[in-house]
DNA sequence: AAGGCGGGGCA
DNA sequence: TGCCCAGCCTT
């Protein structure tokens, strides 16, 4: 077995010379700031996270401020970072911290991983980056670096395997401080040098010992498991478009927007379909509670021209009312939207 | 183990 | 256009 500890010094020296300056790595960083950054960075590039993170640190400098915010404001302030359920889970985590942890970010992995939206990666990352502990951190960058440098594979396995975690554990330096710096250093190497496409191997501090290089940098096997879900025309695209409408100032979606206006359809049509089992019924039950059938339209809010444009865009994405209704029902089930007074809006 | 979940930038 | 990005959660 080769001595992998030889990788430590060149990678750490490279990191000290070339690391990006990022606010959540500053000496005056807080554990809360690190936690917020880790949630935002899940499947999201640094460049898009940084401005939103700065705004959040102004609005929510500690868990207390976020815990006291409304879910609707939290989702709105998440902006277009994507995966807005992350915002709701972070909100829930902030409330849990205030309620159960003296409004502090816990420093132990087992407590962290019990919080909403915090999985094995994020728990280890917070323990390592915020508290300097020795934990095995395995993210997409580290997986790729180890796949190439140690295993000689151009691309890591599609899903994280137990063997990969064991390998990362074996490579972790023995001391706390060194382990924590190693984690962020390997991640940075993967982000700046050992990138997924067009890696900059000539600038790599471990090129000489990289197994992938020694093997002649073979291309990945053409197999490339399971084809990815397309974007255009998908439910995800429509969900995002609905959320974009709801995030707008005063954004709301009248229930009858889910019907085809040109056909003069009324909400009652949705109800009829819903009772026939053709549609999700959650939003419909809420929407009609306290709104007698036949009088629903008077309670509907007036839409602005912007809203009209947004609604037209939604209809162009989903001409079928049943599909839009199903999407909205999913948003409500996830807590990202509420139905009140005959309209769909962000939660309270 | 697999699939759903956003959005934008880049080759 | 397809791939990628400091993953998590549910089934």
């Amino acid at each position: 077995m080769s001595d992998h500890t030889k990788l430590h010094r060149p990678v750490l020296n490279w990191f000290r010379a070339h690391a990006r300056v990022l606010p959540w790595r500053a000496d005056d960083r807080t554990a809360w700031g690190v936690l917020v950054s880790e949630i935002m960075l899940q499947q999201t590039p640094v460049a898009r996270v940084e401005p939103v993170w700065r705004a959040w640190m102004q609005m929510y400098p500690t868990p207390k401020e976020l815990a006291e915010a409304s879910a609707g404001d939290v989702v709105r302030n998440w902006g277009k970072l994507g995966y807005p359920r992350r915002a709701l889970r972070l909100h829930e985590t902030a409330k849990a911290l205030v309620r159960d942890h003296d409004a502090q970010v816990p420093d132990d992995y087992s407590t962290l991983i019990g919080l909403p939206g915090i999985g094995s990666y994020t728990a280890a990352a917070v323990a390592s980056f915020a508290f300097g502990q020795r934990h095995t951190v395995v993210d997409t960058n580290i997986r790729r670096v180890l796949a190439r440098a140690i295993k000689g594979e151009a691309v890591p396995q599609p899903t994280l395997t137990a063997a990969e975690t064991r390998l990362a554990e074996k490579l972790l330096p023995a001391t706390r401080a060194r382990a924590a710096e190693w984690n962020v250093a390997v991640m940075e190497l993967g982000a700046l040098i050992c990138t997924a496409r067009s890696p900059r191997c000539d600038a790599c501090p471990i090129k000489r010992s990289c197994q992938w290089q020694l093997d002649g940098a073979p291309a990945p096997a053409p197999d490339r498991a399971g084809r990815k879900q397309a974007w255009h025309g998908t439910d995800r695209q429509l969900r995002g478009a609905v959320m974009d409408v709801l995030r707008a100032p005063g954004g709301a979606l009248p229930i009858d927007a889910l019907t085809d206006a040109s056909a003069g359809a009324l909400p009652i049509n949705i109800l009829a379909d819903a009772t026939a089992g053709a549609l999700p019924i959650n939003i419909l039950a809420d929407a009609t509670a306290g709104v007698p059938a036949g009088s629903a339209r008077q309670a509907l809010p007036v839409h602005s021209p912007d809203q009209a444009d947004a609604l037209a865009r939604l209809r162009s994405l989903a001409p079928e009312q049943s599909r839009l209704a199903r999407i909205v029902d999913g948003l409500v089930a996830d807590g990202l939207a509420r139905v009140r007074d005959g309209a769909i809006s962000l939660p309270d």
Side-chain angles (χ1 to χ4, degrees):
Chain A
M1 176 186 94
S2 55
D3 182 7
H4 295 134
T5 64
K6 289 190 186 311
L7 296 176
H8 293 166
R9 184 180 305 281
V11 169
L12 291 173
N13 283 342
W14 171 87
F15 177 74
R16 290 163 188 168
H18 297 100
R20 290 170 292 183
V21 176
L22 297 173
W24 46 86
R25 288 182 190 161
D27 288 339
D28 65 348
R29 68 184 179 278
T30 65
W32 171 242
V34 171
L35 172 56
V36 172
S37 79
E38 292 301 338
I39 302 295
M40 289 183 172
L41 286 163
Q42 290 167 2
Q43 300 288 286
T44 310
V46 166
R48 287 208 348 230
V49 165
E50 187 163 350
V52 180
W53 183 89
R54 291 184 186 280
W56 273 53
M57 289 300 103
Q58 293 296 316
M59 289 183 291
Y60 314 121
T62 74
K64 184 171 182 293
E65 287 79 18
L66 185 61
E68 292 171 350
S70 74
D73 283 343
V74 170
V75 171
R76 205 179 342 263
N77 291 144
W78 193 253
K80 307 193 78 169
L81 276 185
Y83 295 141
R85 286 182 295 184
R86 289 184 294 172
L88 290 180
R89 290 171 182 151
L90 184 52
H91 189 212
E92 291 305 311
T93 281
K95 291 193 277 188
L97 297 185
V98 168
R99 187 190 336 111
D100 303 329
H101 300 282
D102 195 27
Q104 304 295 315
V105 176
D107 64 359
D108 62 297
Y109 178 94
S110 61
T111 305
L112 285 164
I113 203 171
L115 294 165
I118 298 183
S120 59
Y121 162 76
T122 303
V126 170
S128 181
F129 304 151
F131 298 108
Q133 295 176 21
R134 186 176 182 278
H135 270 281
T136 305
V137 175
V138 184
D139 81 318
T140 187
N141 290 301
I142 292 177
R143 294 185 63 213
R144 186 175 53 252
V145 171
L146 299 190
R148 288 175 179 164
I150 308 299
K151 301 195 291 183
E153 297 170 359
V155 174
Q157 299 297 115
T159 60
L160 178 63
T161 65
E164 282 181 279
T165 301
R166 271 185 265 111
L167 175 59
E169 286 173 2
K170 196 172 63 174
L171 284 166
L172 198 63
T175 67
R176 277 172 52 113
R178 235 171 132 74
E181 191 177 13
W182 166 257
N183 284 328
V184 67
V186 179
M187 286 175 63
E188 193 77 340
L189 188 66
L192 298 183
I193 302 293
C194 195
T195 53
R197 284 169 299 187
S198 307
R200 301 170 54 208
C201 297
D202 287 343
C204 181
I206 55 174
K207 181 179 182 181
R208 293 295 172 281
S209 53
C210 175
Q211 190 61 47
W212 187 51
Q213 284 294 308
L214 294 174
D215 293 346
D223 185 7
R224 303 304 289 122
R227 47 182 64 88
K228 290 277 172 94
Q229 183 182 30
W231 173 249
H232 185 76
T234 61
D235 284 359
R236 296 176 76 172
Q237 180 191 34
L238 183 54
R239 264 179 76 106
V242 172
M243 288 302 295
D244 200 32
V245 171
L246 301 186
R247 273 195 305 265
L253 189 60
I255 283 288
D256 69 350
L258 272 57
T259 71
D260 183 350
S262 66
L266 292 172
I268 197 72
N269 293 346
I270 299 182
L271 285 174
D273 291 344
T275 53
L279 290 174
I281 62 171
N282 294 347
I283 63 168
L284 305 167
D286 292 345
T288 53
V291 182
S295 66
R297 304 205 88 178
Q298 279 99 16
L300 297 176
V302 177
H303 353 147
S304 66
D306 284 351
Q307 283 273 296
D309 289 347
L311 297 182
R313 188 160 57 85
L314 289 185
R315 285 211 194 80
S316 72
L317 287 173
E320 323 86 341
Q321 67 180 43
S322 63
R323 179 153 174 253
L324 190 50
R326 176 171 55 77
I327 292 301
V328 170
D329 193 66
L331 291 173
V332 171
D334 286 343
L336 287 166
R338 289 288 162 82
V339 179
R340 178 163 36 87
D341 299 332
I344 301 147
S345 63
L346 293 183
D348 294 329

